Amino acid sequence: MVKATGQCNISVISQDATFDLFKHFGFQSGRDVDKFADYPAANYQTSENGIPYITVGTNAYFSLKVKQTVDLGSHTLFICELVAMEVLSDTASATYEYYQSNIKPKPEAVGTTPKGETIWRCRICGYEWVEAHDFILKMPSFLEKIVAAILLVGVAYSCIQLGIHVASLTELAFDEYIEDILITAFNAVIVIEFIRMLIKHSMNTIIEVLIFAIARGLVVGHEAPLETLIRIVCIAILLACRKYLFYEKDFEEEM
C-alpha cells in the first residue's frame, strides 16, 4: 500500500497501549486483511491524506510522503518527507524495553517434568519449553569469575614485580629501567580493567580496556610515526564513540 500510494501515516505507540493493539496490528499482515475493517471506529481517525491513524494507545502521529524507496532484499526501505504531525497526548512513548517489561504477556508455568524442571508456555503462541537448570544459566558467569581470579593472581604478581623494580637497584640503563617499569604498570592496569570487564559487564569497561591496550603500545612501544598516529586516532575514535554514540545506560555496570 505504501509503495502504491506513495504516502503513509505512522502512529507513535504510548505506554497506555495494551497488548491487543500490538496483536491486532502486528500479528497479521495488511496484504491478507484490512486491519481497520473490524477495528473500533472510536479508536482511530483519518488524516488529511485519507489514511487512518490510531488515537487510542498512541501519543502522536506523522503523515509522510515517500520520496525514495530502497530495495534491501528482504524488505523495502522508504525514505519519506514529513507532511504533517500532531501530538495526541503527553504519555511517554512505549520503547521496546517497556514493551518487553510491561506490555508483553509473561510466560506461564503449566507443569513440571519428571525431573522437576518447570514447563513454561508462551501466552502468545502457545509454545511450551523446559527451563534450563539454574546452574547451567549461571555457568558462564561462574567461569568468568574463575578467569578473573586467575588474572588477579597475575596482577598481584605483576605489582610485586613492579615494587621490586622500583625499590631495588638495577644494572639496566635508566631509559631501559623506566621502560621496564612502565610495561609492568601498563600490564597490571590492563589486566585489572579486563577483570572488571569480566565481572561487571558494561560498555564502559570494554572501552577502557581497549584504550589502555592501545595506550600501552603508544607509551612503551618503539613504533614508526605512522603506527603511532594510527594508535592516537584509534584512541580519539574510542573516546568520541564513548561520548557521542552511547546512552548513559550503556555504561551501567551489571552485577
Side-chain angles (χ1 to χ4, degrees), residues 86-108:
E86 182 180 350
V87 176
L88 304 176
S89 77
D90 295 330
T91 306
S93 300
T95 62
Y96 180 74
E97 180 181 4
Y98 185 88
Y99 166 78
Q100 291 288 339
S101 302
N102 301 279
I103 299 177
K104 181 181 178 181
K106 301 296 186 293
E108 59 179 345

Side-chain angles (χ1 to χ4, degrees), residues 55-255:
T55 57
V56 176
T58 62
N59 58 18
Y61 83 92
F62 301 91
S63 291
L64 306 173
K65 182 178 181 181
V66 178
K67 304 297 291 184
Q68 181 182 352
T69 61
V70 181
D71 186 0
L72 299 179
S74 61
H75 57 284
T76 302
L77 171 67
F78 295 98
I79 301 175
C80 302
E81 177 185 22
L82 179 64
V83 177
M85 63 170 291
E86 182 180 350
V87 176
L88 304 176
S89 77
D90 295 330
T91 306
S93 300
T95 62
Y96 180 74
E97 180 181 4
Y98 185 88
Y99 166 78
Q100 291 288 339
S101 302
N102 301 279
I103 299 177
K104 181 181 178 181
K106 301 296 186 293
E108 59 179 345
V110 294
T112 57
T113 67
K115 296 181 180 180
E117 300 166 315
T118 302
I119 301 175
W120 295 91
R121 176 184 297 157
C122 175
R123 294 185 180 181
I124 301 174
C125 66
Y127 175 76
E128 295 183 358
W129 70 95
V130 177
E131 184 178 45
H133 288 294
D134 287 344
F135 78 89
I136 296 178
L137 298 176
K138 295 179 180 179
M139 183 64 71
S141 177
F142 178 71
L143 292 176
E144 287 175 349
K145 288 179 173 59
I146 291 179
V147 173
I150 295 173
L151 292 174
L152 188 60
V153 173
V155 170
Y157 176 78
S158 296
C159 291
I160 293 174
Q161 289 295 107
L162 179 60
I164 293 174
H165 281 306
V166 173
S168 64
L169 296 176
T170 177
E171 296 180 356
L172 294 175
F174 180 76
D175 56 343
E176 295 178 349
Y177 173 68
I178 295 299
E179 181 177 334
D180 198 26
I181 291 177
L182 288 175
I183 291 174
T184 306
F186 262 106
N187 287 341
V189 171
I190 291 172
V191 173
I192 290 173
E193 290 298 324
F194 188 71
I195 292 173
R196 285 185 61 216
M197 185 180 70
L198 289 176
I199 297 178
K200 298 181 177 180
H201 305 90
S202 75
M203 187 60 65
N204 186 44
T205 54
I206 295 174
I207 294 293
E208 287 184 356
V209 167
L210 292 174
I211 290 176
F212 278 120
I214 296 173
R216 178 188 181 279
L218 188 64
V219 174
V220 301
H222 302 283
E223 300 175 335
L226 179 59
E227 294 176 339
T228 300
L229 177 61
I230 292 174
R231 286 184 180 273
I232 294 174
V233 171
C234 289
I235 292 176
I237 291 174
L238 286 172
L239 292 175
C241 290
R242 180 178 181 179
K243 183 174 180 62
Y244 298 109
L245 298 184
F246 296 102
Y247 295 103
E248 290 185 4
K249 66 179 182 180
D250 293 324
F251 294 95
E252 293 177 357
E253 296 182 342
E254 301 177 4
M255 295 301 295

